[in-house]
Amino acid sequence: METQDYIQNRINTNIRQYEELSKKYHKCHIGFMIACFSCFIGVVILDIVYLIIPVIWLILASCVLILAGLFLLFFDVLNDYSSKSLEYKYKANLLCYEKNLYQAKQSGFKGFAFRCERFM
């Protein structure tokens, strides 16, 4: 298999796949963080309303929102979406480095490519 075919068929395909997975897990992480933030802001708003209108249901709703926010936070931490996103981003960067190394070898920078390969 020629270098250009290898780059097109294997490396570029895997780079796109890893970048898509990285974006997917990053969106999951950000979504959970926004949901947690919304729950905790809801608690603050309900507590302020409780100072104006003392109704027991507002306190119960605050407790439910606190529990929901903590559940979402722990669900995100247990599934480690942030770490998975960074891991796939790192793999995509390594494949980009490998692609550049193959292109350097192909274009005649063999000394440069050898030095890069040692650090890979």
Side-chain angles (χ1 to χ4, degrees):
M1 177 181 288
E2 280 190 31
T3 304
Q4 198 63 23
D5 293 336
Y6 179 73
I7 288 172
Q8 289 298 325
N9 294 334
R10 294 284 304 233
I11 294 179
N12 285 340
T13 305
N14 287 338
I15 288 172
R16 281 192 297 275
Q17 179 186 7
Y18 288 145
E19 286 177 348
E20 288 172 7
L21 286 171
S22 175
K23 288 177 187 175
K24 173 185 159 187
Y25 284 118
H26 182 69
K27 286 179 182 178
C28 288
H29 173 67
I30 295 300
F32 278 120
M33 290 298 106
I34 289 172
C36 290
F37 183 73
S38 299
C39 286
F40 294 137
I41 291 298
V43 168
V44 170
I45 291 170
L46 285 176
D47 288 343
I48 291 171
V49 171
Y50 181 72
L51 292 175
I52 299 169
I53 308 169
V55 178
I56 194 70
W57 294 109
L58 294 175
I59 293 297
L60 292 174
S62 294
C63 292
V64 168
L65 281 176
I66 287 173
L67 291 175
L70 289 175
F71 173 75
L72 289 170
L73 182 66
F74 288 129
F75 187 77
D76 181 53
V77 170
L78 288 176
N79 286 317
D80 212 12
Y81 288 128
S82 177
S83 177
K84 287 179 184 176
S85 171
L86 291 175
E87 179 183 335
Y88 284 119
K89 186 73 171 171
Y90 178 72
K91 286 181 179 181
N93 287 339
L94 279 179
L95 284 175
C96 284
Y97 182 77
E98 183 180 353
K99 179 176 86 171
N100 292 335
L101 184 65
Y102 277 117
Q103 288 174 341
K105 280 184 177 180
Q106 185 180 16
S107 61
F109 295 109
K110 294 192 187 303
F112 172 73
F114 177 73
R115 285 194 303 272
C116 289
E117 201 169 45
R118 280 193 340 208
F119 295 110
M120 200 168 138

Short mmCIF file of all heavy atoms in Angstrom, two decimals, residues 9 13 21 24 27 29 33 42 45 47 66 71 73-74 76 80 83 87 93 108 111:
data_model
loop_
_atom_site.label_atom_id
_atom_site.label_comp_id
_atom_site.label_asym_id
_atom_site.label_seq_id
_atom_site.Cartn_x
_atom_site.Cartn_y
_atom_site.Cartn_z
N ASN A 9 -6.89 6.27 3.49
CA ASN A 9 -7.82 5.22 3.92
C ASN A 9 -7.79 4.96 5.42
O ASN A 9 -8.84 4.69 6.01
CB ASN A 9 -7.52 3.92 3.17
CG ASN A 9 -7.80 4.05 1.70
OD1 ASN A 9 -8.62 4.85 1.28
ND2 ASN A 9 -7.09 3.27 0.90
N THR A 13 -9.35 8.62 8.09
CA THR A 13 -10.61 8.05 8.58
C THR A 13 -10.61 7.95 10.11
O THR A 13 -11.59 8.33 10.76
CB THR A 13 -10.82 6.65 7.98
OG1 THR A 13 -10.76 6.74 6.56
CG2 THR A 13 -12.15 6.07 8.40
N LEU A 21 -15.86 11.43 18.08
CA LEU A 21 -16.08 10.89 19.43
C LEU A 21 -15.71 11.92 20.49
O LEU A 21 -16.40 12.05 21.51
CB LEU A 21 -15.27 9.61 19.63
CG LEU A 21 -15.80 8.37 18.92
CD1 LEU A 21 -14.80 7.23 19.01
CD2 LEU A 21 -17.13 7.95 19.51
N LYS A 24 -18.50 14.38 20.66
CA LYS A 24 -19.69 13.76 21.27
C LYS A 24 -19.58 13.74 22.79
O LYS A 24 -20.51 14.16 23.49
CB LYS A 24 -19.84 12.34 20.74
CG LYS A 24 -20.91 11.53 21.39
CD LYS A 24 -20.88 10.10 20.88
CE LYS A 24 -21.56 9.17 21.84
NZ LYS A 24 -21.41 7.78 21.47
N LYS A 27 -19.76 17.26 24.25
CA LYS A 27 -21.14 17.76 24.30
C LYS A 27 -21.92 17.13 25.45
O LYS A 27 -22.70 17.81 26.12
CB LYS A 27 -21.85 17.49 22.98
CG LYS A 27 -21.41 18.39 21.86
CD LYS A 27 -22.13 18.07 20.58
CE LYS A 27 -21.65 18.95 19.44
NZ LYS A 27 -22.31 18.61 18.17
N HIS A 29 -20.64 16.05 28.29
CA HIS A 29 -20.12 16.66 29.52
C HIS A 29 -20.69 18.07 29.72
O HIS A 29 -21.15 18.40 30.81
CB HIS A 29 -18.58 16.70 29.45
CG HIS A 29 -17.95 17.45 30.56
ND1 HIS A 29 -17.99 17.01 31.87
CD2 HIS A 29 -17.26 18.62 30.58
CE1 HIS A 29 -17.35 17.87 32.63
NE2 HIS A 29 -16.90 18.85 31.87
N MET A 33 -23.20 19.49 32.71
CA MET A 33 -22.82 20.63 33.54
C MET A 33 -23.87 21.74 33.47
O MET A 33 -24.18 22.37 34.48
CB MET A 33 -21.44 21.17 33.10
CG MET A 33 -20.29 20.26 33.42
SD MET A 33 -20.09 19.96 35.19
CE MET A 33 -20.70 18.29 35.33
N GLY A 42 -32.09 26.95 39.99
CA GLY A 42 -33.50 26.78 40.36
C GLY A 42 -33.70 26.72 41.86
O GLY A 42 -34.67 27.25 42.39
N ILE A 45 -33.47 30.27 43.19
CA ILE A 45 -34.69 31.01 42.87
C ILE A 45 -35.84 30.57 43.78
O ILE A 45 -36.58 31.40 44.31
CB ILE A 45 -35.05 30.84 41.39
CG1 ILE A 45 -34.02 31.57 40.53
CG2 ILE A 45 -36.46 31.35 41.09
CD1 ILE A 45 -34.12 31.29 39.05
N ASP A 47 -35.60 29.27 46.75
CA ASP A 47 -35.35 29.74 48.11
C ASP A 47 -35.68 31.23 48.27
O ASP A 47 -36.19 31.65 49.31
CB ASP A 47 -33.90 29.48 48.50
CG ASP A 47 -33.64 28.00 48.73
OD1 ASP A 47 -34.61 27.23 48.90
OD2 ASP A 47 -32.45 27.60 48.73
N ILE A 66 -32.02 19.86 44.29
CA ILE A 66 -30.67 19.58 44.81
C ILE A 66 -30.29 18.14 44.53
O ILE A 66 -29.18 17.84 44.05
CB ILE A 66 -30.59 19.89 46.32
CG1 ILE A 66 -30.60 21.39 46.55
CG2 ILE A 66 -29.33 19.27 46.93
CD1 ILE A 66 -30.68 21.80 47.99
N PHE A 71 -27.29 14.21 41.40
CA PHE A 71 -27.33 12.99 40.58
C PHE A 71 -26.67 13.24 39.23
O PHE A 71 -25.86 12.43 38.76
CB PHE A 71 -28.76 12.52 40.38
CG PHE A 71 -28.89 11.37 39.42
CD1 PHE A 71 -28.51 10.09 39.79
CD2 PHE A 71 -29.33 11.59 38.12
CE1 PHE A 71 -28.60 9.04 38.89
CE2 PHE A 71 -29.42 10.55 37.22
CZ PHE A 71 -29.05 9.27 37.61
N LEU A 73 -24.49 15.53 38.44
CA LEU A 73 -23.06 15.77 38.64
C LEU A 73 -22.32 14.46 38.84
O LEU A 73 -21.29 14.20 38.20
CB LEU A 73 -22.85 16.69 39.83
CG LEU A 73 -21.40 17.06 40.14
CD1 LEU A 73 -20.83 17.90 39.01
CD2 LEU A 73 -21.31 17.80 41.45
N PHE A 74 -22.84 13.59 39.70
CA PHE A 74 -22.16 12.30 39.94
C PHE A 74 -22.24 11.38 38.74
O PHE A 74 -21.32 10.62 38.48
CB PHE A 74 -22.72 11.63 41.19
CG PHE A 74 -22.31 12.29 42.46
CD1 PHE A 74 -23.26 12.64 43.41
CD2 PHE A 74 -20.98 12.59 42.71
CE1 PHE A 74 -22.88 13.26 44.59
CE2 PHE A 74 -20.60 13.22 43.88
CZ PHE A 74 -21.56 13.55 44.81
N ASP A 76 -22.12 12.36 35.64
CA ASP A 76 -21.07 12.84 34.74
C ASP A 76 -19.69 12.42 35.24
O ASP A 76 -18.85 11.98 34.46
CB ASP A 76 -21.14 14.36 34.61
CG ASP A 76 -20.08 14.90 33.67
OD1 ASP A 76 -19.99 14.41 32.53
OD2 ASP A 76 -19.32 15.79 34.08
N ASP A 80 -17.17 9.78 33.43
CA ASP A 80 -15.89 10.40 33.05
C ASP A 80 -15.91 10.90 31.61
O ASP A 80 -14.99 10.62 30.83
CB ASP A 80 -14.77 9.40 33.27
CG ASP A 80 -13.47 10.07 33.65
OD1 ASP A 80 -13.51 11.27 33.96
OD2 ASP A 80 -12.43 9.40 33.63
N SER A 83 -12.85 13.17 30.61
CA SER A 83 -11.60 12.44 30.36
C SER A 83 -11.65 11.69 29.03
O SER A 83 -10.67 11.64 28.29
CB SER A 83 -11.35 11.46 31.50
OG SER A 83 -10.19 10.70 31.24
N GLU A 87 -9.16 12.12 25.90
CA GLU A 87 -8.43 10.94 25.40
C GLU A 87 -8.57 10.80 23.89
O GLU A 87 -7.58 10.57 23.18
CB GLU A 87 -8.97 9.69 26.10
CG GLU A 87 -8.31 8.41 25.66
CD GLU A 87 -8.94 7.20 26.33
OE1 GLU A 87 -9.52 7.34 27.43
OE2 GLU A 87 -8.85 6.12 25.73
N ASN A 93 -4.76 13.76 17.72
CA ASN A 93 -3.53 14.53 17.55
C ASN A 93 -2.34 13.62 17.24
O ASN A 93 -1.47 13.98 16.44
CB ASN A 93 -3.24 15.37 18.79
CG ASN A 93 -4.17 16.55 18.91
OD1 ASN A 93 -4.76 16.98 17.92
ND2 ASN A 93 -4.33 17.06 20.11
N GLY A 108 10.85 13.34 1.10
CA GLY A 108 12.31 13.35 1.08
C GLY A 108 12.99 13.89 2.31
O GLY A 108 14.21 14.00 2.33
N GLY A 111 15.93 12.51 7.10
CA GLY A 111 16.63 12.80 8.35
C GLY A 111 15.69 13.40 9.39
O GLY A 111 15.70 13.02 10.55
#
